[in-house]
Structure formats: C-alpha cells, structure tokens
Amino acid sequence: MTANENHHPAVQPRRIRFSYPVAALDRHFVAGDLVMSHMIAHLSAVFPEGEDFFIRSVRRYADQITDPDLKDQVKGFIGQEMTHGREHRALNERLHEMGYPTRRIDRLVARRQAAVERRFSPLTCLAITAALEHFTAVFAETLLSDERAQALLGTTEVRSMLLWHAIEESEHRSVAFDVYRAVGGDETRRIRTMRIIRFTFPLAVVVNTIISLFADRASYHPVRLVRSFAALRHSPFLTRAVFRRLGEYLRPGFHPDDQDNAALLEHWEAELFGEQGALVDHLH
C-alpha cells in the first residue's frame, strides 16, 4: 500500500486566538533580521486573500466529491483555512501599525486573484491551489522539523501562531490535491501549473519584499542590508533539501503523502496542544 492510499487522519479546525499587544513585537521581529522580517511580513500579508482563494477553489467541487473520507477532509480544510485567514488578518493589522505594507499587499493579492479567476477555468484554479498548498506544506514542515527555523522566530506570539499554522498546513496538505484528482484533474495540467507557480510565486515574494524594504529606513544602512541578504544563503528555508522537496511535485505520480509526516505531527500536537501544551491557553 502506498502512502496516498492510506486512510487520512481527520482534519479538525482548532478554535484558537492569538493577540499582538502594542510593544510586544520588535520592529524586525524575525531574530532582528531585516530581510527575513520583511519577507515573513509579506507572506503573512498574502495569506488572508490566498486562503480565501484556496477555499473557493476547493468549495466549487465539494458537491462532486463522493468519497465520505474526502468530504470530511474538505470540510476540515475549509474550516482550518478560514481560521488561518482570520488570524493572519489580525497579525497583519499589527504589522501595518509597525510600518509594514500589509494592507497594500492584501489589496494587490485580491485584485490579482480576481484576475486569475476570470481568466482561468475552475479546474486550473484548483491546480493552482494544489501547487501552492505544496509550497506551504514544505515550508511548514521545514519550520516544524528544523530547530534553526524555529529559533529565527524567538519566543514571540508570531512564533506561536506560525507553529500552529504550520501544523494545520501539514495536516491538510493533500486535500486540494486529492480533490483535484477526484474531479478528473490530469497530470499534464497539474505539472504544467506547478512549473509556472514555482517561478512566479518566489518572484512575487522577492519583488514585494524589496519594495517593502524601500519603505524601511533601516534598509538604508548598507552594511546591515548586505549582511541580511548574505544571511539568506544559510536560511533553513532555502536549503537543497527544501528545493528538492518542492521539485518532487513535478514527478508524474507524485502525491503529497509520499513523505510521511505522522511522527512530526504527533510531536507538535503534544508540544502545543497536549495536556501541558504551550498553546492550550489559546484555545476556545
């Protein structure tokens, strides 16, 4: 039996809230790093509209799903993504107050995705969702499995929120993919879509991070800026292993569950939401 033939565990949305009181975050909240702080702020700004796009893409096909297990997975996926959007909106407002252009990016993403939905078929939008879900799952599991990645976020509320988000992205990483397959999505469209996404998505992150940096006076200290860009070479999110995992999506016959994440999820479920879990007090 292959990994993608296994019965999936339930995808359950967690009723959770985070808060970002004034002065609780340093201006450059990712270990004081200039570039990484702007990059994470940009990604957070993308998430609310991005999650809404994912939900719409999957929900369009919900009535065509006949497998009861997958139907439950879809409900859990939608619930988790709705909560992600809400919590990132709260964080983005705090980041806006700190000087990051999160509102502008939110509006830009909304316009871009409206254009995508006008131009492309619902099945292609679902293929885009499945491709981007692979990106988020790979980066989520990198955060959960690499202590260097966790250390970048220190002990702030942002760290707590991103760890929770990472768990849930890893839990539902195969849902959009499985819906795409269940409604007749073929390998050609799936792989072709990822070939485009793996170029356009990183490019958008780089360009918008640079634009964001222009508005930060700290960016005009050349030594600090150069050191921050140089540090990207050692980022746990930009290793060969990460790029290799991202590239696996292009292999015919690929499935997200080819890489087992059960032990990783079990560890973090206990760490954050077990009896003495670090985020139990955040649950409602």
Side-chain angles (χ1 to χ4, degrees):
M1 179 178 287
T2 61
N4 56 338
E5 290 171 328
N6 291 330
H7 180 84
H8 293 100
V11 174
Q12 295 292 343
R14 295 171 178 84
R15 298 178 64 189
I16 194 166
R17 291 274 184 179
F18 297 88
S19 62
Y20 310 95
V22 175
L25 293 176
D26 293 330
R27 173 71 168 93
H28 302 114
F29 59 96
V30 182
D33 187 275
L34 184 62
V35 174
M36 280 299 293
S37 295
H38 280 269
M39 190 171 292
I40 296 296
H42 165 71
L43 290 171
S44 182
V46 166
F47 273 121
E49 288 294 335
E51 308 286 24
D52 287 350
F53 175 83
F54 296 168
I55 291 168
R56 290 193 300 272
S57 298
V58 169
R59 188 178 266 157
R60 284 191 191 99
Y61 290 97
D63 291 343
Q64 297 182 34
I65 303 301
T66 57
D67 177 72
D69 180 38
L70 185 54
K71 286 181 81 72
D72 286 342
Q73 296 280 314
V74 167
K75 290 177 184 176
F77 170 87
I78 291 171
Q80 287 188 342
E81 297 289 54
M82 288 177 67
T83 308
H84 297 173
R86 184 195 70 208
E87 291 305 309
H88 274 281
R89 282 188 173 92
L91 172 58
N92 293 342
E93 279 304 300
R94 183 72 190 93
L95 293 172
H96 169 77
E97 293 167 5
M98 293 164 61
Y100 292 95
T102 50
R103 289 181 181 175
R104 181 187 64 79
I105 293 167
D106 183 76
R107 292 192 297 269
L108 179 65
V109 173
R111 290 196 298 269
R112 185 183 302 149
Q113 290 181 165
V116 166
E117 289 176 284
R118 286 194 300 270
R119 179 176 178 183
F120 297 106
S121 70
L123 192 59
T124 295
C125 289
L126 185 57
I128 292 169
T129 295
L132 288 170
E133 282 286 298
H134 181 62
F135 264 89
T136 56
V138 170
F139 288 123
E141 291 175 11
T142 300
L143 175 60
L144 295 175
S145 60
D146 194 316
E147 292 182 357
R148 296 174 303 152
Q150 298 153 31
L152 286 173
L153 301 175
T155 58
T156 67
E157 189 81 334
V158 174
R159 178 185 189 274
S160 298
M161 194 267 264
L162 292 179
L163 286 172
W164 154 76
H165 191 166
I167 288 176
E168 295 199 344
E169 288 296 332
S170 191
E171 286 175 340
H172 70 231
R173 66 183 182 179
S174 65
V175 176
F177 189 100
D178 287 340
V179 171
Y180 175 78
R181 275 192 173 177
V183 299
D186 59 68
E187 290 286 82
T188 301
R189 187 194 305 255
R190 177 182 73 78
I191 293 171
R192 184 176 64 233
T193 300
M194 177 54 103
R195 289 193 187 281
I196 297 169
I197 292 294
R198 77 183 218 154
F199 170 75
T200 57
F201 177 69
L203 179 63
V205 172
V206 170
V207 169
N208 283 292
T209 297
I210 291 171
I211 292 171
S212 182
L213 283 164
F214 275 123
D216 188 339
R217 285 192 295 179
S219 303
Y220 294 88
H221 295 277
V223 173
R224 184 177 182 187
L225 185 63
V226 169
R227 283 178 178 170
S228 187
F229 271 111
L232 289 175
R233 292 178 302 167
H234 308 292
S235 171
F237 296 103
L238 300 175
T239 63
R240 288 182 182 178
V242 168
F243 289 121
R244 187 164 53 248
R245 274 202 68 189
L246 290 172
E248 286 173 359
Y249 194 94
L250 300 175
R251 173 173 52 82
F254 165 84
H255 190 276
D257 291 343
D258 290 341
Q259 177 142 339
D260 186 12
N261 65 359
L264 189 65
L265 288 176
E266 184 178 356
H267 167 79
W268 282 103
E269 174 68 27
E271 187 82 11
L272 299 182
F273 301 110
E275 192 172 329
Q276 302 296 324
L279 297 185
V280 169
D281 62 339
H282 287 57
L283 296 171
H284 295 271

